[in-house]
Amino acid sequence: MKLPRSPLAALGFALIWLFLIVFVFYPLTRIFYDAFTNEAGQFTLINFYEFFTDSFYLRSLWKSLLLGAAAVVTTSVVGIAVAYLLIRYEFPSRPSPT
């Protein structure tokens, strides 16, 4: 048996989807459209050719990938260390597991 939704819950659900459409889906589709078209709106791959043949953009790409990898490694090390400490040691204010 399906329970009816309250109008407030339906409004909240609609607002979440509206936010996602306006601030996530539309900008992403616009970026993809602009990447594959020229100023006249015709399909082209020249934007990718120009990106991958320009040394400045390639250097920026590699530095961004290196930064992303460094962030993943660093946060993984810190997260695993904190998780180990939380599981391994008893802290005074921590409730005991039952």
Side-chain angles (χ1 to χ4, degrees):
M1 183 169 163
K2 190 173 180 181
L3 296 174
R5 288 190 185 164
S6 70
L8 187 60
L11 176 66
F13 187 73
L15 287 175
I16 290 171
W17 274 106
L18 179 66
F19 180 86
L20 286 174
I21 289 169
V22 170
F23 293 108
V24 177
F25 297 135
Y26 175 72
L28 284 176
T29 55
R30 186 65 200 191
I31 288 170
F32 283 121
Y33 175 78
D34 289 342
F36 287 102
T37 58
N38 59 13
E39 289 80 15
Q42 299 167 331
F43 176 78
T44 184
L45 294 176
I46 194 71
N47 298 331
F48 292 97
Y49 174 77
E50 290 175 356
F51 178 85
F52 287 108
T53 56
D54 190 335
S55 63
F56 174 77
Y57 290 132
L58 286 177
R59 198 169 48 249
S60 298
L61 173 65
W62 287 116
K63 287 184 179 184
S64 296
L65 292 174
L66 180 64
L67 178 64
V72 167
V73 170
T74 304
T75 55
S76 295
V77 168
V78 170
I80 290 170
V82 169
Y84 178 79
L85 288 173
L86 288 174
I87 295 298
R88 187 77 177 150
Y89 296 103
E90 287 293 327
F91 295 98
S93 61
R94 183 174 169 191
S96 63
T98 312

